[in-house]
Amino acid sequence: TGEVIVFLRNSNEILQDKKVRQAIVKATNTNVIATGLGYPVITARSPLLKQHLGYDPSILQFPQNVAEANTLLDSAGWVMAKDGIRAKGNQKLSIKLYARSTSEYAFITQVLQKQWKVVGVDAEVIMQPSADLNSTVAFHNYDALVYGISLGIDPDVLPYWHGSQSDIRSASRLNLSEYKNATADRALEA
């Protein structure tokens, strides 16, 4: 059992801002991706799937809401420029989105790029063959990453979300978002 997730690297200068990350999520319509792939898929709305122990239907990913995404970016100081890309001072709201070089991932990244541009986020898509992407992932050399993870029947999501797993000294370093939260760490440990 697995999921394909967009990981937003929290240590990235732009993505450190929670409002920017929330805006990107709110700009995303996963149903467009799911229906456009051409084969049946189930959209996931949380790190755990419905059949997993610990799944909580009250804790779900934000649904698409472009107006809220724009409000979040406005309140974070990102101003829409004439070219349709937001900026704060001299810095453009631009991120590099990496994915494996396959037709499915190409479709996903193209949809994300279009959806994010609607709210003023410039996503440069970089498709890489498996060997190159594995290196990119290992060294966390991305801003955002479309990547598939395996959860198993009895999921242990600690490697993907515990703060210790974002440390360069970690054996797995599978916390691909570099998410760090003491409360979440304690919950994962329990």
Side-chain angles (χ1 to χ4, degrees), residues 52-125:
H52 287 139
L53 179 66
Y55 173 80
D56 184 345
S58 70
I59 304 172
L60 300 177
Q61 175 180 310
F62 298 123
Q64 184 188 33
N65 188 322
V66 172
E68 285 182 17
N70 279 314
T71 299
L72 283 164
L73 292 171
D74 289 341
S75 70
W78 292 97
V79 178
M80 188 68 82
K82 289 180 183 177
D83 65 358
I85 303 301
R86 290 178 180 268
K88 186 188 282 188
N90 292 328
Q91 183 179 28
K92 293 254 186 200
L93 184 48
S94 181
I95 59 174
K96 292 183 179 179
L97 175 63
Y98 283 79
R100 189 171 316 279
S101 185
T102 68
S103 60
E104 288 91 354
Y105 285 111
F107 171 74
I108 293 167
T109 56
Q110 288 169 4
V111 171
L112 292 172
Q113 185 181 46
K114 288 176 187 171
Q115 291 178 351
W116 297 352
K117 180 141 190 200
V118 169
V119 298
V121 177
D122 177 36
E124 177 187 349
V125 173

Side-chain angles (χ1 to χ4, degrees), residues 98-103 105-106 126-131 133-134 146-147:
Y98 283 79
R100 189 171 316 279
S101 185
T102 68
S103 60
Y105 285 111
I126 300 165
M127 306 297 293
Q128 293 185 313
S130 294
L133 187 66
N134 290 342
V146 178
Y147 199 70

